[in-house]
């Protein structure tokens, strides 16, 4: 009897998921993940990994901010320096593991970045211009930089939470020669249970049926975004990523 009930329950869940996917056309996922590529090819060999910054400084009240690289408007809240550094480390480590580019580390980039920002000759220089100059200093083909808008740890444990993990960040790949944004992606996600949202099966599977920590959730999102960037020294074909995805 128990086995029959379990099978019937799983069958019902699968049917509901499929019906929801058909009805909603995957639109839910567009609200929390996107990746865009330009309509032109560009060869990328060497990348300066500047890494992440917090979209808001410590002590500021949560509110609306404008992304200084894209101009898009987001809700944001302060994120600690430790979180920013941790995410930058994860970003760089994953790029190293993939071996797609010749990389300039965040540590190397930081010194040049600071010297440009704090130079008396560059007072008032905009973020895009700063990143252009950083890229030129290393004779790089692109600079990778992003902002973290939200970082909320779960309240609870693997099997039950009072508040789920929630994270939002974006990444931009910028060409130093002219400041063109070659690629950009954003991940904005709050984990949900299957009872709250049947379309969140992917998160359920990624977490092995458990509630993720915010770092795990962010790492899954980062891996997804990085998979959409040009494969490196080969010619990157013109394409636009369809956000009908498991993320």
């Amino acid at each position: 009897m128990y086995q029959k009930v379990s099978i019937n329950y799983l069958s019902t869940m699968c049917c509901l998921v499929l019906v929801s996917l058909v009805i909603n056309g995957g639109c839910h996922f567009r609200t929390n993940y996107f990746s865009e590529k330009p309509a032109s090819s560009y060869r990328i060999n060497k990348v300066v990994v500047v890494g992440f910054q917090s979209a808001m400084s410590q002590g500021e009240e949560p509110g609306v901010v404008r992304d200084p690289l894209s101009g898009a408007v987001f809700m944001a809240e302060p994120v600690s320096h430790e979180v920013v550094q941790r995410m930058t480390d994860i970003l760089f480590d994953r790029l190293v593991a993939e071996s797609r580019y010749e990389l300039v580390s965040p540590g190397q980039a930081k010194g040049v970045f600071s010297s440009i920002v704090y130079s008396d000759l560059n007072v008032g220089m905009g973020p895009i211009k700063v990143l252009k100059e950083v890229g030129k200093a290393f004779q790089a083909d692109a600079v990778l930089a992003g902002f973290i808008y939200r970082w909320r740890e779960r309240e609870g444990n693997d099997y039950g939470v009072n508040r789920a993990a929630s994270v939002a960040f974006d990444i931009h790949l910028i060409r130093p020669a002219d400041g063109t944004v070659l690629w950009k992606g954003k991940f904005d996600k709050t984990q949900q249970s299957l009872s709250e949202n049947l379309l969140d099966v992917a998160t359920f599977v990624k977490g092995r049926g458990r509630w993720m920590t915010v770092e795990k959730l962010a790492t899954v999102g980062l891996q997804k975004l990085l998979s959409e960037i040009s494969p490196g020294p080969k010619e990157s074909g013109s394409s636009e990523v369809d956000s009908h995805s498991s993320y």
Side-chain angles (χ1 to χ4, degrees):
M1 175 61 116
Y2 176 79
Q3 185 176 11
K4 288 183 179 180
V5 171
S6 298
I7 292 173
N8 289 336
Y9 174 76
L10 290 173
S11 299
T12 301
M13 286 294 291
C14 290
C15 289
L16 286 173
V17 169
L18 289 173
V19 170
S20 297
L21 288 172
V22 172
I23 294 174
N24 292 284
C27 291
H28 168 76
F29 298 112
R30 288 180 174 176
T31 65
N32 56 47
Y33 161 73
F34 75 73
S35 173
E36 297 179 356
K37 292 181 182 178
S40 61
S41 61
Y42 181 65
R43 185 182 295 274
I44 301 173
N45 292 287
K46 187 175 185 179
V47 177
V48 179
V49 184
V50 171
F52 289 100
Q53 298 180 56
S54 174
M56 271 191 164
S57 301
Q58 291 293 308
E60 289 189 82
E61 290 295 322
V64 176
V65 298
R66 185 176 296 277
D67 181 346
L69 300 182
S70 69
V73 175
F74 301 108
M75 286 296 298
E77 54 194 55
V79 176
S80 72
H81 173 73
E82 289 74 21
V83 165
V84 170
Q85 185 60 53
R86 178 59 181 154
M87 277 291 284
T88 296
D89 290 342
I90 293 172
L91 170 64
F92 185 68
D93 289 345
R94 288 198 169 273
L95 289 171
V96 169
E98 291 172 3
S99 302
R100 289 192 287 172
Y101 309 103
E102 178 185 350
L103 300 172
V104 176
S105 73
Q108 292 173 287
K110 185 176 181 180
V112 174
F113 185 92
S114 297
S115 66
I116 293 172
V117 170
Y118 296 113
S119 171
D120 292 338
L121 299 176
N122 299 322
V123 175
M125 181 182 287
I128 288 285
K129 183 66 183 299
V130 172
L131 293 176
K132 283 173 56 179
E133 294 304 313
V134 171
K136 289 177 181 178
F138 291 100
Q139 298 181 319
D141 302 301
V143 176
L144 192 64
F147 293 89
I148 304 177
Y149 299 92
R150 185 177 68 254
W151 186 274
R152 297 178 193 163
E153 186 56 271
R154 71 182 185 190
E155 293 180 359
N157 55 42
D158 289 355
Y159 300 102
V161 296
N162 295 318
R163 186 184 74 175
S166 182
V167 66
F169 60 88
D170 62 14
I171 317 175
H172 302 75
L173 192 69
I174 297 166
R175 181 163 59 195
D178 55 10
T180 296
V181 177
L182 298 169
W183 170 89
K184 62 180 179 179
K186 179 191 174 188
F187 185 77
D188 183 353
K189 184 74 174 177
T190 300
Q191 188 177 3
Q192 293 179 296
S193 67
L194 285 180
S195 62
E196 292 175 300
N197 182 9
L198 287 174
L199 290 177
D200 213 18
V201 175
T203 312
F204 184 83
V205 173
K206 289 283 186 181
R208 299 180 180 180
R210 302 174 184 179
W211 291 96
M212 296 183 188
T213 63
V214 65
E215 183 174 312
K216 172 62 177 176
L217 185 62
T219 301
V220 168
L222 187 59
Q223 183 175 4
K224 177 62 181 176
L225 290 183
L226 291 180
S227 71
E228 309 294 359
I229 301 180
S230 163
K234 300 176 183 178
E235 286 289 343
S236 55
S238 64
S239 64
E240 183 170 335
V241 175
D242 185 352
S243 295
H244 287 197
S245 159
S246 61
Y247 261 92

